[in-house]
Amino acid sequence: MSIHVNQLTKRYGNFTALDDISLSIDDGELVALLGPSGCGKTTLLRSIAGMEFADSGSILLEGRDMTFEPIRHRQVGFVFQHYALFNHMSVFENVAYGLRVKPRAQRPPEAEIRRRVHELLDLVQLDWLARRFPPQLSGGQRQRIALARALAVEPRYLLLDEPFGALDANVRKELRGWLRRLHEELHVTSLFVTHDQEEAMEVASRIVVMNHGRIEQLGTPAKIYDTPRTPFVSTFIGNVNVFRGCVRNGAFHSGSWRLPLPRTLDTLHLAEQNAYIRPHDIEILRGPAADWQVSIRHVQPMGSRYHLEAVPVADASGGPGPETESGRITIELTRQAFKALALDVGHRVGLRIHHVHWFHGAATPQQPIDIPAPA
Amino acid sequence: MSHRKTRLPGFGLSLGITVFTLSLLVLIPLSALVTQSAELSLGGMWHALADRRVLAAFRVSFSTAFAAAFTNVLLGLVVAWVLVRYPLPFKRSLDALIDLPFALPTAVAGIVLTTLYAPNGWLGQFFTDWGIRIAFTPMGIVVALIFIGLPFVVRTVEPVLQELDRQQEEASTSLGASRWQTFYRVLLPPLVPAILTGFSLAFARGLGEYGSVIFIAGNMPMKSEIVPLLIVTKLEQYDYAGATVIALASLVVAFIMLLVVNGLQHWTRQRTGQD
């Protein structure tokens, strides 16, 4: 059951929530709408559901124009961030609701309703809670019931608005994996909104990155992480160090720092070119063979990985170091690498850059020039 | 008796104050009522109550209070809904207006309503064209009681309505429910306890209301005479025992009715898991 969104635009007064959004989702996909709060992701989801109506553009479900159809004709299952369960009904009645409100002619007999509800409660592994009321359940249980309720009417599309946003970290992690497995089992075309990039990467088969009402990039999690199309995507998905500078005479210059580029790019001259370098694309070397020299200021063990914060050390010429956003450089090492180097706060070490994304300026999205640095 | 310490301080003091004021203001006056009426024998009581005029007054009082409270539930629900859900100009002033019947001297309300709804009054004349008389009939009593009782329903339903999760309604429509189904299956059930509270408050107030009713009722014995007026009449005739017996009887009946409403409320709460 495919979803096509064509040039959707929606304004609230002066604020543009959706700016000319076009998007196609194939049958059976599990897609994440990812972006910071206020980027329009929830508005887009609610427009697809039929809870909000855009100013212009169209929405096609399975090729049929549904732009102005109300929600009850769209056959979507919607899951809310704060569950929106009916607190005065038992868990069983919550799940049965969609079946009970069907027109008499389509309403299944009572025995069939019972069978369906218990089947769904089994699916979300909460059949034992059938007679409880929502306020007596934990957040994770409530969200699973909300999902069972949405699935009861056999929707063609499942839309989830920050489904795990109100849950604590452990439950969130557990439910992510569970949602992915559920999707593998049911294959309902699903679209979920999140501001958590880790959640999007872990659950979705494709990610739509949004910012300021526009789509910044659309692709598989790996593609978006490895080849971000805009500076925003690069900084929003994972951590990144940004060095402001320019390319001249076959090297990248940032402040007094210089990073030689491969020979093939010798002739390149680019003003206002910024280098986006992931913390794990930086290698720490002991010895003079490094590109840059830094001093370690802070060590943060994160379980299997170590995060280091370093500040540039003035080079021989006494220059001010590179132009970075925070004045600090973040480096990520595996536990093994960290132990092997026997690093500690105050050590002076060299950095070797392995991979760089380049963006022209910071404001406007541009095609990056992806240059693997010399290894 | 165990002497377990509670974690809340001041239990003894606050209970003392509660019992003291409750006794002074409620329990002692009510028991005085009982002892006063004990002057009459049971037969005498029965005789005082079984009087046709007394029974008619009870019928008028209870039926008009019930009709007004019921109308107020419907009306109050709509008013509360409008106040909570729609952006209105002068909403705050409108909201303050709701409480006015509380503040207005009831006699003023009675006189104004009588003037308006009298057969040749501003509003009454249109009803006269249709052959309907409002002032000086039980209908007039109902009108006055609606005016007096409306704030009770609005003020009890409003906060609950405000607390309702709008997304529950969206969830309901996304599951295919019509507007009507969403209203009576999702919106109404959480409101029922508040509606019952508003109903019982408006009803109780309606039973006791005197000031506004005596102006508009016409006070014709057997037709539009209410119980409180009958009590006053008996007092004016120095029939103290008769007056207290009627007062006691109306107290007992009102108490039973409120008990029933409370029971109903408890039952709905339990049935919907709110307890």
Side-chain angles (χ1 to χ4, degrees):
Chain A
M1 310 293 149
S2 60
I3 300 173
H4 291 277
V5 176
N6 297 319
Q7 299 181 304
L8 212 63
T9 297
K10 167 120 187 147
R11 285 191 187 82
Y12 296 105
N14 281 330
F15 178 72
T16 306
L18 298 177
D19 187 1
D20 197 28
I21 297 268
S22 294
L23 176 67
S24 283
I25 292 163
D26 294 332
D27 186 19
E29 271 198 289
L30 176 54
V31 175
L33 293 176
L34 176 66
S37 54
C39 72
K41 55 192 192 300
T42 295
T43 308
L44 177 58
L45 191 80
R46 289 173 62 87
S47 302
I48 293 171
M51 293 181 191
E52 244 151 86
F53 297 93
D55 302 330
S56 64
S58 61
I59 293 165
L60 277 70
L61 300 180
E62 245 177 303
R64 284 212 305 141
D65 188 344
M66 301 290 255
T67 315
F68 300 107
E69 285 290 320
I71 182 166
R72 56 189 294 246
H73 297 147
R74 295 200 189 193
Q75 291 183 285
V76 299
F78 202 96
V79 175
F80 298 84
Q81 180 177 4
H82 298 288
Y83 332 119
L85 290 175
F86 308 130
N87 289 333
H88 59 281
M89 294 180 201
S90 67
V91 163
F92 180 93
E93 285 304 321
N94 264 281
V95 178
Y97 186 82
L99 301 172
R100 292 211 194 282
V101 297
K102 276 181 191 288
R104 198 169 297 251
Q106 297 164 30
R107 198 182 307 156
E110 185 62 29
E112 170 68 11
I113 290 179
R114 288 192 166 278
R115 197 188 59 75
R116 285 276 306 142
V117 172
H118 284 299
E119 199 179 279
L120 282 160
L121 287 174
D122 273 335
L123 184 72
V124 299
Q125 296 152 9
L126 291 176
D127 199 29
W128 56 287
L129 291 174
R131 303 177 70 162
R132 301 272 188 89
F133 287 86
Q136 300 164 336
L137 310 185
S138 74
Q141 290 170 338
R142 283 191 226 185
Q143 200 55 295
R144 276 147 75 188
I145 297 299
L147 198 59
R149 181 180 68 176
L151 291 171
V153 288
E154 295 178 328
R156 296 179 172 185
Y157 313 92
L158 193 57
L159 307 177
L160 307 102
D161 183 11
E162 304 240 8
F164 312 133
L167 305 172
D168 37 286
N170 280 338
V171 183
R172 204 151 71 204
K173 222 167 182 118
E174 184 195 319
L175 284 193
R176 277 182 209 162
W178 178 79
L179 176 65
R180 206 185 42 224
R181 286 192 299 277
L182 191 78
H183 179 260
E184 279 162 14
E185 212 170 305
L186 299 175
H187 269 291
V188 187
T189 309
S190 305
L191 194 57
F192 76 99
V193 158
T194 180
H195 60 260
D196 182 346
Q197 42 107 357
E198 205 180 305
E199 189 168 293
M201 303 272 282
E202 203 179 312
V203 179
S205 54
R206 278 203 302 159
I207 297 177
V208 181
V209 185
M210 291 183 66
N211 192 28
H212 293 310
R214 268 181 297 198
I215 293 178
E216 295 266 337
Q217 190 170 1
L218 199 159
T220 61
K223 178 119 200 222
I224 281 180
Y225 189 81
D226 293 338
T227 54
R229 217 168 57 81
T230 68
F232 172 80
V233 175
S234 176
T235 47
F236 193 73
I237 313 281
N239 298 321
V240 72
N241 294 293
V242 182
F243 296 90
R244 279 190 287 272
C246 60
V247 172
R248 127 170 75 77
N249 300 328
F252 171 67
H253 297 263
S254 177
S256 64
W257 279 12
R258 191 174 163 277
L259 180 67
L261 300 179
R263 279 229 174 78
T264 46
L265 297 157
D266 262 2
T267 54
L268 208 60
H269 283 266
L270 294 164
E272 262 191 71
Q273 199 70 12
N274 298 334
Y276 286 68
I277 303 170
R278 298 255 186 235
H280 54 74
D281 285 332
I282 302 174
E283 187 189 351
I284 289 188
L285 299 174
R286 293 210 174 242
D291 296 325
W292 296 335
Q293 295 286 324
V294 294
S295 162
I296 295 172
R297 278 293 160 85
H298 184 71
V299 175
Q300 183 68 53
M302 306 284 287
S304 64
R305 314 190 71 80
Y306 277 74
H307 284 188
L308 311 184
E309 266 184 22
V311 291
V313 175
D315 53 22
S317 61
E323 282 179 47
T324 62
E325 308 241 290
S326 60
R328 298 206 161 196
I329 300 165
T330 310
I331 305 149
E332 195 181 307
L333 295 180
T334 62
R335 191 184 161 83
Q336 265 176 321
F338 180 81
K339 297 279 181 207
L341 285 162
L343 294 171
D344 206 347
V345 174
H347 285 180
R348 283 182 100 176
V349 292
L351 301 184
R352 161 68 59 80
I353 310 300
H354 281 272
H355 193 83
V356 182
H357 292 285
W358 306 94
F359 293 103
H360 178 66
T364 48
Q366 284 241 346
Q367 201 62 37
I369 312 160
D370 196 6
I371 311 165
Chain B
M1 275 293 278
S2 64
H3 290 270
R4 235 178 335 133
K5 285 263 180 197
T6 57
R7 237 163 271 132
L8 277 173
F11 173 70
L13 182 67
S14 53
L15 183 71
I17 293 174
T18 309
V19 171
F20 179 71
T21 44
L22 215 59
S23 309
L24 218 58
L25 298 172
V26 182
L27 291 177
I28 294 175
L30 287 187
S31 40
L33 197 65
V34 178
T35 45
Q36 264 293 315
S37 56
E39 273 178 27
L40 285 181
S41 65
L42 273 180
M45 280 192 199
W46 179 249
H47 187 72
L49 285 177
D51 178 43
R52 276 181 61 220
R53 188 172 162 192
V54 174
L55 288 178
F58 269 101
R59 206 180 51 237
V60 170
S61 264
F62 278 89
S63 60
T64 53
F66 188 90
F70 188 78
T71 316
N72 271 330
V73 163
L74 303 179
L75 223 61
L77 206 56
V78 175
V79 172
W81 175 262
V82 169
L83 282 178
V84 171
R85 284 302 172 88
Y86 302 109
L88 290 171
F90 312 114
K91 194 165 178 169
R92 280 175 178 277
S93 333
L94 209 68
D95 200 54
L97 219 61
I98 300 290
D99 287 330
L100 222 56
F102 280 151
L104 202 68
T106 49
V108 176
I111 293 165
V112 170
L113 288 173
T114 312
T115 322
L116 286 178
Y117 285 100
N120 54 356
W122 270 14
L123 296 168
Q125 56 183 332
F126 300 111
F127 289 100
T128 315
D129 292 344
W130 289 85
I132 301 170
R133 274 174 58 115
I134 291 181
F136 316 125
T137 67
M139 190 100 96
I141 304 176
V142 174
V143 169
L145 295 184
I146 289 171
F147 177 83
I148 295 296
L150 185 67
F152 290 103
V153 179
V154 177
R155 287 293 175 245
T156 47
V157 171
E158 210 179 2
V160 185
L161 205 55
Q162 245 152 9
E163 289 293 304
L164 282 189
D165 181 8
R166 300 282 282 269
Q167 294 196 325
Q168 288 192 9
E169 290 153 55
E170 289 182 334
S172 171
T173 41
S174 81
L175 291 164
S178 65
R179 280 169 193 228
W180 172 243
Q181 283 171 323
T182 300
F183 173 74
Y184 82 83
R185 281 175 181 265
V186 173
L187 265 172
L188 201 56
L191 292 177
V192 167
I195 290 173
L196 284 174
T197 305
F199 174 84
S200 58
L201 286 174
F203 178 70
R205 178 67 203 266
L207 281 183
E209 178 59 20
Y210 177 76
S212 60
V213 175
I214 50 164
F215 289 99
I216 202 169
N219 305 326
M220 279 175 293
M222 310 301 297
K223 280 201 185 121
S224 59
E225 190 178 47
I226 54 168
V227 174
L229 180 72
L230 198 62
I231 295 171
V232 173
T233 315
K234 295 253 181 210
L235 286 177
E236 279 167 354
Q237 292 161 354
Y238 305 106
D239 181 6
Y240 295 128
T244 31
V245 167
I246 297 174
L248 190 68
S250 84
L251 200 72
V252 168
V253 179
F255 188 71
I256 290 169
M257 294 200 72
L258 290 177
L259 216 60
V260 169
V261 174
N262 271 335
L264 210 62
Q265 209 172 15
H266 183 70
W267 178 71
T268 52
R269 273 182 203 279
Q270 230 171 21
R271 211 175 54 110
T272 57
Q274 288 177 44
D275 256 0

